[in-house]
Amino acid sequence: MTKLLLWGLLAICSLGVKAQPADTYVLRCEIQGCPEPLSLFTFDGMIFTQLRQAEKVGATTFEFHIPPSEPRFFYLGTNTSNVTPIILGTENEVVVKGNCGAIRMATIEGSKINQDYNSLKETMNELRNKAGQLIRQYQVAFGEKREAVVAEMKTVDAQKKALLDSLQQADPFLGKIVALNTYLSFQNYPNGYSDEIEYFANEYFSFADLRDPAYETLPWVYEAFRNYTTTIVSVRLSDDKQQEYLDKALAALPQGGPTYKLALAGVLNILQQKNNNNYAYFGNKFIETFRKSDPAAVASLQMEIKKARSFMIGGEAPDFTLKTPEGEGLSLSDLRGKVVLIDFWASWCGPCRRENPNVVRMYNQYKDKGFDILGVSLDKTQDRWVDAIQQDGLAWHHVSDLKGWSNEVAQAYGVRSIPHTVLVDAEGKIIARNLRGEALEQKLAELFD
């Protein structure tokens, strides 16, 4: 699946009306060092589609003849891995200048909508950072200090609302982007919800009318649903509850349309990254919905789901073999018949080392009942790896290829942060992922006590 982060990218284009037919604009790009022609693409959440290729009118000058339209995002670049978003449809004369190898750094001259868009992103970033800082302060404050933080939150909320109200009047196109990024504090606007998770799940999109056709070509829908999904899967909800919230958010969209596709693609992007058990569920939703209209994306997704099932709960944990500190090969399958915790860690990982005493305690408690641990180290240095094993008293199996983050097993299991654990039953099937502390203790008690 395409993994595109739109936040922070510059909207870059050149639009100029020349001696062309009245029903076209000219997109002119003065770009150095392009080994291949520039193209315009659209993005539907899953794939880029090439619309047209530029006409080369000079050594470093490219032109597109574009029919006028309402403002919308396109993508300018040489191929789908080298593109930057642009807003087209409203300018009389704009020129973009830059280098093909760093097309996202190109400069814009005379494009008010793109300049306004860049300023808007800076403003939204500032408000988002302020809100994030206040949430962190709120979590550690008490009494009058907490009340003061809540008051500051209300000020930021007011700034968000003022930005939204002003742009909905002055520039409805940019206003729709702001609507997708306007989230007010639970502390000031609880709206009858008993906790912030419930509030977030139901109110995150409350300012955006996602049934408006204008959202059908707005890639910020994709980004908004990525952000929403990231939070939903990061707050330790059950798989069923995650599915419930995501289903409800998607149900508010026109089913099967372009907005739905952008949103569902954003959901899938995060679920795939997180190796989330709901990836197959929502992947099958996409397959059922777009089987006829987008067979290429469906075929690709079917392959991704088949691959991902091996790493999800209920799937058989892929076998692997790495070397022990003594240089002998040890495979996961060598421990078949026991409940095995695959523990991805490293000597340099502070959270891993702080968690180790808990793991030692649980290992000693259950090792005679059929529990074992296979530590997979993301170290690069043999001595540091071995020293950490001895210092922390990790009296279980250990393996590594000493390739750090390039560890082949960690990559295969989709490990993007450590500590990371995978719990495997006696038959080699995955029981749970990323259990630590109390959650791991409860699971082991459930299995052995």
Side-chain angles (χ1 to χ4, degrees), residues 1-7 43 204-205 219-233 262-263 265-271 273:
M1 180 184 299
T2 303
K3 295 180 179 177
L4 180 68
L5 297 178
L6 301 178
W7 185 264
F43 176 65
Y204 186 78
F205 298 105
W220 279 92
V221 173
Y222 172 84
E223 280 302 302
F225 272 83
R226 289 184 77 257
N227 295 335
Y228 179 77
T229 306
T230 297
T231 299
I232 291 297
V233 302
L262 281 165
V267 170
L268 287 170
N269 179 263
I270 295 302
L271 295 181
Q273 285 187 31

PDB file of all heavy atoms in Angstrom, residues 1-7 43 204-205 219-233 262-263 265-271 273:
ATOM      1  N   MET A   1       0.843  -1.177   0.000  1.00  0.00           N
ATOM      2  CA  MET A   1       0.000   0.000   0.000  1.00  0.00           C
ATOM      3  C   MET A   1       0.884   1.235   0.000  1.00  0.00           C
ATOM      4  O   MET A   1       1.899   1.302   0.670  1.00  0.00           O
ATOM      5  CB  MET A   1      -0.888   0.001   1.242  1.00  0.00           C
ATOM      6  CG  MET A   1      -1.820   1.201   1.333  1.00  0.00           C
ATOM      7  SD  MET A   1      -2.731   1.187   2.883  1.00  0.00           S
ATOM      8  CE  MET A   1      -3.581  -0.349   2.672  1.00  0.00           C
ATOM      9  N   THR A   2       0.488   2.268  -0.721  1.00  0.00           N
ATOM     10  CA  THR A   2       1.262   3.485  -0.757  1.00  0.00           C
ATOM     11  C   THR A   2       1.313   4.098   0.626  1.00  0.00           C
ATOM     12  O   THR A   2       0.311   4.250   1.285  1.00  0.00           O
ATOM     13  CB  THR A   2       0.610   4.497  -1.727  1.00  0.00           C
ATOM     14  OG1 THR A   2       0.498   3.886  -3.000  1.00  0.00           O
ATOM     15  CG2 THR A   2       1.472   5.730  -1.837  1.00  0.00           C
ATOM     16  N   LYS A   3       2.492   4.457   1.063  1.00  0.00           N
ATOM     17  CA  LYS A   3       2.650   5.057   2.372  1.00  0.00           C
ATOM     18  C   LYS A   3       3.039   6.507   2.154  1.00  0.00           C
ATOM     19  O   LYS A   3       4.199   6.846   2.016  1.00  0.00           O
ATOM     20  CB  LYS A   3       3.699   4.315   3.201  1.00  0.00           C
ATOM     21  CG  LYS A   3       3.261   2.894   3.503  1.00  0.00           C
ATOM     22  CD  LYS A   3       4.280   2.173   4.322  1.00  0.00           C
ATOM     23  CE  LYS A   3       3.817   0.764   4.639  1.00  0.00           C
ATOM     24  NZ  LYS A   3       4.812   0.000   5.371  1.00  0.00           N
ATOM     25  N   LEU A   4       2.046   7.442   2.137  1.00  0.00           N
ATOM     26  CA  LEU A   4       2.282   8.835   1.789  1.00  0.00           C
ATOM     27  C   LEU A   4       1.959   9.711   2.975  1.00  0.00           C
ATOM     28  O   LEU A   4       0.857   9.667   3.480  1.00  0.00           O
ATOM     29  CB  LEU A   4       1.399   9.221   0.594  1.00  0.00           C
ATOM     30  CG  LEU A   4       1.528  10.660   0.112  1.00  0.00           C
ATOM     31  CD1 LEU A   4       2.884  10.896  -0.512  1.00  0.00           C
ATOM     32  CD2 LEU A   4       0.430  11.007  -0.864  1.00  0.00           C
ATOM     33  N   LEU A   5       2.927  10.484   3.475  1.00  0.00           N
ATOM     34  CA  LEU A   5       2.669  11.426   4.541  1.00  0.00           C
ATOM     35  C   LEU A   5       2.550  12.810   3.919  1.00  0.00           C
ATOM     36  O   LEU A   5       3.528  13.383   3.451  1.00  0.00           O
ATOM     37  CB  LEU A   5       3.808  11.398   5.562  1.00  0.00           C
ATOM     38  CG  LEU A   5       3.982  10.070   6.294  1.00  0.00           C
ATOM     39  CD1 LEU A   5       5.182  10.165   7.233  1.00  0.00           C
ATOM     40  CD2 LEU A   5       2.740   9.731   7.075  1.00  0.00           C
ATOM     41  N   LEU A   6       1.322  13.379   3.906  1.00  0.00           N
ATOM     42  CA  LEU A   6       1.098  14.652   3.244  1.00  0.00           C
ATOM     43  C   LEU A   6       1.420  15.831   4.147  1.00  0.00           C
ATOM     44  O   LEU A   6       1.693  16.919   3.681  1.00  0.00           O
ATOM     45  CB  LEU A   6      -0.375  14.754   2.811  1.00  0.00           C
ATOM     46  CG  LEU A   6      -0.834  13.647   1.860  1.00  0.00           C
ATOM     47  CD1 LEU A   6      -2.303  13.828   1.546  1.00  0.00           C
ATOM     48  CD2 LEU A   6      -0.031  13.672   0.583  1.00  0.00           C
ATOM     49  N   TRP A   7       1.376  15.604   5.489  1.00  0.00           N
ATOM     50  CA  TRP A   7       1.588  16.718   6.395  1.00  0.00           C
ATOM     51  C   TRP A   7       2.982  17.298   6.215  1.00  0.00           C
ATOM     52  O   TRP A   7       3.964  16.599   6.241  1.00  0.00           O
ATOM     53  CB  TRP A   7       1.420  16.251   7.839  1.00  0.00           C
ATOM     54  CG  TRP A   7       1.504  17.394   8.799  1.00  0.00           C
ATOM     55  CD1 TRP A   7       2.599  17.811   9.487  1.00  0.00           C
ATOM     56  CD2 TRP A   7       0.463  18.292   9.137  1.00  0.00           C
ATOM     57  NE1 TRP A   7       2.305  18.890  10.247  1.00  0.00           N
ATOM     58  CE2 TRP A   7       1.001  19.222  10.055  1.00  0.00           C
ATOM     59  CE3 TRP A   7      -0.865  18.412   8.755  1.00  0.00           C
ATOM     60  CZ2 TRP A   7       0.241  20.249  10.598  1.00  0.00           C
ATOM     61  CZ3 TRP A   7      -1.612  19.429   9.300  1.00  0.00           C
ATOM     62  CH2 TRP A   7      -1.065  20.332  10.203  1.00  0.00           C
ATOM     63  N   PHE A  43      -4.153  10.943  -6.615  1.00  0.00           N
ATOM     64  CA  PHE A  43      -3.959   9.931  -5.578  1.00  0.00           C
ATOM     65  C   PHE A  43      -5.313   9.626  -4.948  1.00  0.00           C
ATOM     66  O   PHE A  43      -6.016  10.532  -4.504  1.00  0.00           O
ATOM     67  CB  PHE A  43      -2.980  10.449  -4.521  1.00  0.00           C
ATOM     68  CG  PHE A  43      -2.773   9.524  -3.356  1.00  0.00           C
ATOM     69  CD1 PHE A  43      -2.175   8.290  -3.535  1.00  0.00           C
ATOM     70  CD2 PHE A  43      -3.173   9.900  -2.082  1.00  0.00           C
ATOM     71  CE1 PHE A  43      -1.982   7.436  -2.461  1.00  0.00           C
ATOM     72  CE2 PHE A  43      -2.976   9.059  -1.002  1.00  0.00           C
ATOM     73  CZ  PHE A  43      -2.374   7.821  -1.186  1.00  0.00           C
ATOM     74  N   TYR A 204     -14.120  13.385  16.695  1.00  0.00           N
ATOM     75  CA  TYR A 204     -12.929  13.797  15.962  1.00  0.00           C
ATOM     76  C   TYR A 204     -13.272  14.479  14.631  1.00  0.00           C
ATOM     77  O   TYR A 204     -12.613  15.443  14.235  1.00  0.00           O
ATOM     78  CB  TYR A 204     -12.020  12.594  15.715  1.00  0.00           C
ATOM     79  CG  TYR A 204     -10.691  12.956  15.089  1.00  0.00           C
ATOM     80  CD1 TYR A 204      -9.667  13.494  15.864  1.00  0.00           C
ATOM     81  CD2 TYR A 204     -10.453  12.773  13.733  1.00  0.00           C
ATOM     82  CE1 TYR A 204      -8.447  13.829  15.311  1.00  0.00           C
ATOM     83  CE2 TYR A 204      -9.231  13.108  13.170  1.00  0.00           C
ATOM     84  CZ  TYR A 204      -8.242  13.640  13.964  1.00  0.00           C
ATOM     85  OH  TYR A 204      -7.031  13.990  13.403  1.00  0.00           O
ATOM     86  N   PHE A 205     -14.285  13.999  13.940  1.00  0.00           N
ATOM     87  CA  PHE A 205     -14.644  14.548  12.622  1.00  0.00           C
ATOM     88  C   PHE A 205     -15.863  15.468  12.680  1.00  0.00           C
ATOM     89  O   PHE A 205     -16.491  15.734  11.655  1.00  0.00           O
ATOM     90  CB  PHE A 205     -14.936  13.396  11.648  1.00  0.00           C
ATOM     91  CG  PHE A 205     -13.767  12.489  11.402  1.00  0.00           C
ATOM     92  CD1 PHE A 205     -13.720  11.226  11.979  1.00  0.00           C
ATOM     93  CD2 PHE A 205     -12.708  12.893  10.613  1.00  0.00           C
ATOM     94  CE1 PHE A 205     -12.644  10.377  11.752  1.00  0.00           C
ATOM     95  CE2 PHE A 205     -11.620  12.052  10.389  1.00  0.00           C
ATOM     96  CZ  PHE A 205     -11.591  10.801  10.960  1.00  0.00           C
ATOM     97  N   PRO A 219      -6.907  14.924  -0.364  1.00  0.00           N
ATOM     98  CA  PRO A 219      -6.081  13.895   0.279  1.00  0.00           C
ATOM     99  C   PRO A 219      -5.986  14.050   1.790  1.00  0.00           C
ATOM    100  O   PRO A 219      -5.556  13.132   2.476  1.00  0.00           O
ATOM    101  CB  PRO A 219      -4.715  14.051  -0.390  1.00  0.00           C
ATOM    102  CG  PRO A 219      -4.710  15.431  -0.952  1.00  0.00           C
ATOM    103  CD  PRO A 219      -6.121  15.726  -1.324  1.00  0.00           C
ATOM    104  N   TRP A 220      -6.396  15.195   2.308  1.00  0.00           N
ATOM    105  CA  TRP A 220      -6.415  15.363   3.753  1.00  0.00           C
ATOM    106  C   TRP A 220      -7.398  14.398   4.419  1.00  0.00           C
ATOM    107  O   TRP A 220      -7.282  14.136   5.622  1.00  0.00           O
ATOM    108  CB  TRP A 220      -6.742  16.799   4.117  1.00  0.00           C
ATOM    109  CG  TRP A 220      -5.535  17.689   4.028  1.00  0.00           C
ATOM    110  CD1 TRP A 220      -5.125  18.415   2.945  1.00  0.00           C
ATOM    111  CD2 TRP A 220      -4.575  17.923   5.055  1.00  0.00           C
ATOM    112  NE1 TRP A 220      -3.961  19.082   3.240  1.00  0.00           N
ATOM    113  CE2 TRP A 220      -3.608  18.808   4.525  1.00  0.00           C
ATOM    114  CE3 TRP A 220      -4.435  17.485   6.365  1.00  0.00           C
ATOM    115  CZ2 TRP A 220      -2.521  19.253   5.269  1.00  0.00           C
ATOM    116  CZ3 TRP A 220      -3.347  17.930   7.106  1.00  0.00           C
ATOM    117  CH2 TRP A 220      -2.406  18.809   6.556  1.00  0.00           C
ATOM    118  N   VAL A 221      -8.361  13.889   3.682  1.00  0.00           N
ATOM    119  CA  VAL A 221      -9.246  12.850   4.229  1.00  0.00           C
ATOM    120  C   VAL A 221      -8.420  11.622   4.597  1.00  0.00           C
ATOM    121  O   VAL A 221      -8.577  11.032   5.672  1.00  0.00           O
ATOM    122  CB  VAL A 221     -10.352  12.483   3.219  1.00  0.00           C
ATOM    123  CG1 VAL A 221     -11.169  11.285   3.707  1.00  0.00           C
ATOM    124  CG2 VAL A 221     -11.262  13.680   2.963  1.00  0.00           C
ATOM    125  N   TYR A 222      -7.545  11.233   3.692  1.00  0.00           N
ATOM    126  CA  TYR A 222      -6.635  10.108   3.932  1.00  0.00           C
ATOM    127  C   TYR A 222      -5.801  10.355   5.187  1.00  0.00           C
ATOM    128  O   TYR A 222      -5.687   9.501   6.066  1.00  0.00           O
ATOM    129  CB  TYR A 222      -5.748   9.944   2.700  1.00  0.00           C
ATOM    130  CG  TYR A 222      -4.613   8.957   2.809  1.00  0.00           C
ATOM    131  CD1 TYR A 222      -4.822   7.601   2.575  1.00  0.00           C
ATOM    132  CD2 TYR A 222      -3.318   9.379   3.094  1.00  0.00           C
ATOM    133  CE1 TYR A 222      -3.768   6.690   2.636  1.00  0.00           C
ATOM    134  CE2 TYR A 222      -2.264   8.478   3.164  1.00  0.00           C
ATOM    135  CZ  TYR A 222      -2.498   7.135   2.931  1.00  0.00           C
ATOM    136  OH  TYR A 222      -1.458   6.247   2.998  1.00  0.00           O
ATOM    137  N   GLU A 223      -5.219  11.560   5.291  1.00  0.00           N
ATOM    138  CA  GLU A 223      -4.387  11.891   6.446  1.00  0.00           C
ATOM    139  C   GLU A 223      -5.200  11.916   7.734  1.00  0.00           C
ATOM    140  O   GLU A 223      -4.750  11.448   8.776  1.00  0.00           O
ATOM    141  CB  GLU A 223      -3.715  13.241   6.229  1.00  0.00           C
ATOM    142  CG  GLU A 223      -2.490  13.177   5.354  1.00  0.00           C
ATOM    143  CD  GLU A 223      -1.446  12.227   5.921  1.00  0.00           C
ATOM    144  OE1 GLU A 223      -0.988  12.413   7.060  1.00  0.00           O
ATOM    145  OE2 GLU A 223      -1.103  11.277   5.204  1.00  0.00           O
ATOM    146  N   ALA A 224      -6.410  12.485   7.672  1.00  0.00           N
ATOM    147  CA  ALA A 224      -7.237  12.579   8.877  1.00  0.00           C
ATOM    148  C   ALA A 224      -7.584  11.197   9.411  1.00  0.00           C
ATOM    149  O   ALA A 224      -7.562  10.959  10.627  1.00  0.00           O
ATOM    150  CB  ALA A 224      -8.508  13.373   8.583  1.00  0.00           C
ATOM    151  N   PHE A 225      -7.899  10.264   8.520  1.00  0.00           N
ATOM    152  CA  PHE A 225      -8.237   8.919   8.971  1.00  0.00           C
ATOM    153  C   PHE A 225      -7.000   8.144   9.420  1.00  0.00           C
ATOM    154  O   PHE A 225      -7.104   7.248  10.258  1.00  0.00           O
ATOM    155  CB  PHE A 225      -9.024   8.175   7.894  1.00  0.00           C
ATOM    156  CG  PHE A 225     -10.504   8.425   7.993  1.00  0.00           C
ATOM    157  CD1 PHE A 225     -11.068   9.563   7.433  1.00  0.00           C
ATOM    158  CD2 PHE A 225     -11.330   7.545   8.667  1.00  0.00           C
ATOM    159  CE1 PHE A 225     -12.427   9.813   7.543  1.00  0.00           C
ATOM    160  CE2 PHE A 225     -12.695   7.779   8.786  1.00  0.00           C
ATOM    161  CZ  PHE A 225     -13.247   8.920   8.225  1.00  0.00           C
ATOM    162  N   ARG A 226      -5.835   8.476   8.879  1.00  0.00           N
ATOM    163  CA  ARG A 226      -4.597   7.907   9.414  1.00  0.00           C
ATOM    164  C   ARG A 226      -4.395   8.364  10.855  1.00  0.00           C
ATOM    165  O   ARG A 226      -4.078   7.572  11.751  1.00  0.00           O
ATOM    166  CB  ARG A 226      -3.384   8.320   8.577  1.00  0.00           C
ATOM    167  CG  ARG A 226      -3.299   7.672   7.201  1.00  0.00           C
ATOM    168  CD  ARG A 226      -2.018   8.069   6.474  1.00  0.00           C
ATOM    169  NE  ARG A 226      -0.867   7.329   6.986  1.00  0.00           N
ATOM    170  CZ  ARG A 226       0.047   7.825   7.815  1.00  0.00           C
ATOM    171  NH1 ARG A 226      -0.031   9.070   8.239  1.00  0.00           N
ATOM    172  NH2 ARG A 226       1.056   7.081   8.220  1.00  0.00           N
ATOM    173  N   ASN A 227      -4.554   9.669  11.098  1.00  0.00           N
ATOM    174  CA  ASN A 227      -4.376  10.210  12.441  1.00  0.00           C
ATOM    175  C   ASN A 227      -5.386   9.620  13.413  1.00  0.00           C
ATOM    176  O   ASN A 227      -5.047   9.257  14.550  1.00  0.00           O
ATOM    177  CB  ASN A 227      -4.496  11.739  12.412  1.00  0.00           C
ATOM    178  CG  ASN A 227      -3.386  12.407  11.626  1.00  0.00           C
ATOM    179  OD1 ASN A 227      -2.305  11.861  11.471  1.00  0.00           O
ATOM    180  ND2 ASN A 227      -3.658  13.590  11.104  1.00  0.00           N
ATOM    181  N   TYR A 228      -6.627   9.541  12.972  1.00  0.00           N
ATOM    182  CA  TYR A 228      -7.695   8.992  13.813  1.00  0.00           C
ATOM    183  C   TYR A 228      -7.386   7.536  14.175  1.00  0.00           C
ATOM    184  O   TYR A 228      -7.467   7.145  15.342  1.00  0.00           O
ATOM    185  CB  TYR A 228      -9.016   9.083  13.050  1.00  0.00           C
ATOM    186  CG  TYR A 228     -10.217   8.525  13.783  1.00  0.00           C
ATOM    187  CD1 TYR A 228     -10.831   9.246  14.800  1.00  0.00           C
ATOM    188  CD2 TYR A 228     -10.754   7.287  13.435  1.00  0.00           C
ATOM    189  CE1 TYR A 228     -11.944   8.743  15.460  1.00  0.00           C
ATOM    190  CE2 TYR A 228     -11.865   6.776  14.084  1.00  0.00           C
ATOM    191  CZ  TYR A 228     -12.454   7.519  15.099  1.00  0.00           C
ATOM    192  OH  TYR A 228     -13.551   7.013  15.750  1.00  0.00           O
ATOM    193  N   THR A 229      -7.007   6.755  13.188  1.00  0.00           N
ATOM    194  CA  THR A 229      -6.723   5.332  13.417  1.00  0.00           C
ATOM    195  C   THR A 229      -5.515   5.152  14.322  1.00  0.00           C
ATOM    196  O   THR A 229      -5.502   4.264  15.190  1.00  0.00           O
ATOM    197  CB  THR A 229      -6.499   4.614  12.076  1.00  0.00           C
ATOM    198  OG1 THR A 229      -7.620   4.846  11.222  1.00  0.00           O
ATOM    199  CG2 THR A 229      -6.327   3.119  12.270  1.00  0.00           C
ATOM    200  N   THR A 230      -4.489   5.986  14.153  1.00  0.00           N
ATOM    201  CA  THR A 230      -3.305   5.902  15.000  1.00  0.00           C
ATOM    202  C   THR A 230      -3.683   6.020  16.470  1.00  0.00           C
ATOM    203  O   THR A 230      -3.205   5.250  17.318  1.00  0.00           O
ATOM    204  CB  THR A 230      -2.300   7.010  14.632  1.00  0.00           C
ATOM    205  OG1 THR A 230      -1.858   6.811  13.293  1.00  0.00           O
ATOM    206  CG2 THR A 230      -1.098   6.997  15.560  1.00  0.00           C
ATOM    207  N   THR A 231      -4.549   6.969  16.791  1.00  0.00           N
ATOM    208  CA  THR A 231      -4.974   7.137  18.183  1.00  0.00           C
ATOM    209  C   THR A 231      -5.839   5.976  18.646  1.00  0.00           C
ATOM    210  O   THR A 231      -5.631   5.431  19.741  1.00  0.00           O
ATOM    211  CB  THR A 231      -5.744   8.456  18.353  1.00  0.00           C
ATOM    212  OG1 THR A 231      -4.877   9.550  18.014  1.00  0.00           O
ATOM    213  CG2 THR A 231      -6.233   8.632  19.779  1.00  0.00           C
ATOM    214  N   ILE A 232      -6.777   5.552  17.820  1.00  0.00           N
ATOM    215  CA  ILE A 232      -7.696   4.472  18.210  1.00  0.00           C
ATOM    216  C   ILE A 232      -6.928   3.194  18.544  1.00  0.00           C
ATOM    217  O   ILE A 232      -7.286   2.474  19.482  1.00  0.00           O
ATOM    218  CB  ILE A 232      -8.725   4.213  17.088  1.00  0.00           C
ATOM    219  CG1 ILE A 232      -9.697   5.396  16.966  1.00  0.00           C
ATOM    220  CG2 ILE A 232      -9.479   2.906  17.314  1.00  0.00           C
ATOM    221  CD1 ILE A 232     -10.545   5.644  18.189  1.00  0.00           C
ATOM    222  N   VAL A 233      -5.865   2.900  17.786  1.00  0.00           N
ATOM    223  CA  VAL A 233      -5.140   1.640  18.032  1.00  0.00           C
ATOM    224  C   VAL A 233      -4.022   1.807  19.061  1.00  0.00           C
ATOM    225  O   VAL A 233      -3.356   0.832  19.390  1.00  0.00           O
ATOM    226  CB  VAL A 233      -4.557   1.059  16.723  1.00  0.00           C
ATOM    227  CG1 VAL A 233      -5.652   0.828  15.705  1.00  0.00           C
ATOM    228  CG2 VAL A 233      -3.462   1.948  16.147  1.00  0.00           C
ATOM    229  N   LEU A 262     -10.615   7.095   0.130  1.00  0.00           N
ATOM    230  CA  LEU A 262      -9.507   7.793   0.772  1.00  0.00           C
ATOM    231  C   LEU A 262      -9.448   7.466   2.262  1.00  0.00           C
ATOM    232  O   LEU A 262      -8.383   7.193   2.816  1.00  0.00           O
ATOM    233  CB  LEU A 262      -9.662   9.303   0.587  1.00  0.00           C
ATOM    234  CG  LEU A 262      -9.268   9.898  -0.762  1.00  0.00           C
ATOM    235  CD1 LEU A 262      -9.822  11.315  -0.905  1.00  0.00           C
ATOM    236  CD2 LEU A 262      -7.746   9.918  -0.924  1.00  0.00           C
ATOM    237  N   ALA A 263     -10.616   7.490   2.913  1.00  0.00           N
ATOM    238  CA  ALA A 263     -10.680   7.245   4.350  1.00  0.00           C
ATOM    239  C   ALA A 263     -10.279   5.810   4.686  1.00  0.00           C
ATOM    240  O   ALA A 263      -9.463   5.572   5.587  1.00  0.00           O
ATOM    241  CB  ALA A 263     -12.086   7.544   4.862  1.00  0.00           C
ATOM    242  N   ALA A 265      -8.525   3.760   2.939  1.00  0.00           N
ATOM    243  CA  ALA A 265      -7.099   3.569   2.654  1.00  0.00           C
ATOM    244  C   ALA A 265      -6.244   4.101   3.796  1.00  0.00           C
ATOM    245  O   ALA A 265      -5.223   3.497   4.153  1.00  0.00           O
ATOM    246  CB  ALA A 265      -6.728   4.258   1.343  1.00  0.00           C
ATOM    247  N   GLY A 266      -6.633   5.232   4.386  1.00  0.00           N
ATOM    248  CA  GLY A 266      -5.905   5.768   5.535  1.00  0.00           C
ATOM    249  C   GLY A 266      -5.966   4.829   6.729  1.00  0.00           C
ATOM    250  O   GLY A 266      -4.974   4.624   7.426  1.00  0.00           O
ATOM    251  N   VAL A 267      -7.143   4.251   6.969  1.00  0.00           N
ATOM    252  CA  VAL A 267      -7.300   3.267   8.042  1.00  0.00           C
ATOM    253  C   VAL A 267      -6.382   2.074   7.809  1.00  0.00           C
ATOM    254  O   VAL A 267      -5.651   1.626   8.700  1.00  0.00           O
ATOM    255  CB  VAL A 267      -8.767   2.807   8.137  1.00  0.00           C
ATOM    256  CG1 VAL A 267      -8.911   1.613   9.079  1.00  0.00           C
ATOM    257  CG2 VAL A 267      -9.666   3.951   8.595  1.00  0.00           C
ATOM    258  N   LEU A 268      -6.405   1.541   6.597  1.00  0.00           N
ATOM    259  CA  LEU A 268      -5.608   0.359   6.271  1.00  0.00           C
ATOM    260  C   LEU A 268      -4.115   0.634   6.390  1.00  0.00           C
ATOM    261  O   LEU A 268      -3.346  -0.232   6.822  1.00  0.00           O
ATOM    262  CB  LEU A 268      -5.942  -0.120   4.861  1.00  0.00           C
ATOM    263  CG  LEU A 268      -7.303  -0.792   4.688  1.00  0.00           C
ATOM    264  CD1 LEU A 268      -7.612  -1.004   3.209  1.00  0.00           C
ATOM    265  CD2 LEU A 268      -7.340  -2.118   5.438  1.00  0.00           C
ATOM    266  N   ASN A 269      -3.703   1.830   6.011  1.00  0.00           N
ATOM    267  CA  ASN A 269      -2.282   2.173   6.073  1.00  0.00           C
ATOM    268  C   ASN A 269      -1.744   2.024   7.494  1.00  0.00           C
ATOM    269  O   ASN A 269      -0.684   1.436   7.714  1.00  0.00           O
ATOM    270  CB  ASN A 269      -2.080   3.600   5.568  1.00  0.00           C
ATOM    271  CG  ASN A 269      -0.629   4.040   5.631  1.00  0.00           C
ATOM    272  OD1 ASN A 269      -0.236   4.700   6.581  1.00  0.00           O
ATOM    273  ND2 ASN A 269       0.146   3.686   4.628  1.00  0.00           N
ATOM    274  N   ILE A 270      -2.484   2.528   8.475  1.00  0.00           N
ATOM    275  CA  ILE A 270      -2.034   2.449   9.863  1.00  0.00           C
ATOM    276  C   ILE A 270      -2.186   1.041  10.415  1.00  0.00           C
ATOM    277  O   ILE A 270      -1.289   0.532  11.109  1.00  0.00           O
ATOM    278  CB  ILE A 270      -2.800   3.457  10.733  1.00  0.00           C
ATOM    279  CG1 ILE A 270      -2.468   4.889  10.293  1.00  0.00           C
ATOM    280  CG2 ILE A 270      -2.463   3.263  12.206  1.00  0.00           C
ATOM    281  CD1 ILE A 270      -0.993   5.233  10.367  1.00  0.00           C
ATOM    282  N   LEU A 271      -3.289   0.371  10.118  1.00  0.00           N
ATOM    283  CA  LEU A 271      -3.470  -0.991  10.621  1.00  0.00           C
ATOM    284  C   LEU A 271      -2.376  -1.917  10.115  1.00  0.00           C
ATOM    285  O   LEU A 271      -1.906  -2.797  10.841  1.00  0.00           O
ATOM    286  CB  LEU A 271      -4.848  -1.522  10.206  1.00  0.00           C
ATOM    287  CG  LEU A 271      -6.054  -0.807  10.804  1.00  0.00           C
ATOM    288  CD1 LEU A 271      -7.345  -1.461  10.322  1.00  0.00           C
ATOM    289  CD2 LEU A 271      -6.009  -0.792  12.333  1.00  0.00           C
ATOM    290  N   GLN A 273       0.733  -0.918   9.240  1.00  0.00           N
ATOM    291  CA  GLN A 273       1.963  -0.531   9.928  1.00  0.00           C
ATOM    292  C   GLN A 273       2.038  -1.114  11.329  1.00  0.00           C
ATOM    293  O   GLN A 273       3.103  -1.511  11.796  1.00  0.00           O
ATOM    294  CB  GLN A 273       2.055   0.996  10.021  1.00  0.00           C
ATOM    295  CG  GLN A 273       2.428   1.696   8.738  1.00  0.00           C
ATOM    296  CD  GLN A 273       2.661   3.171   8.967  1.00  0.00           C
ATOM    297  OE1 GLN A 273       3.101   3.590  10.037  1.00  0.00           O
ATOM    298  NE2 GLN A 273       2.355   3.983   7.978  1.00  0.00           N
TER     299      GLN A 273
END
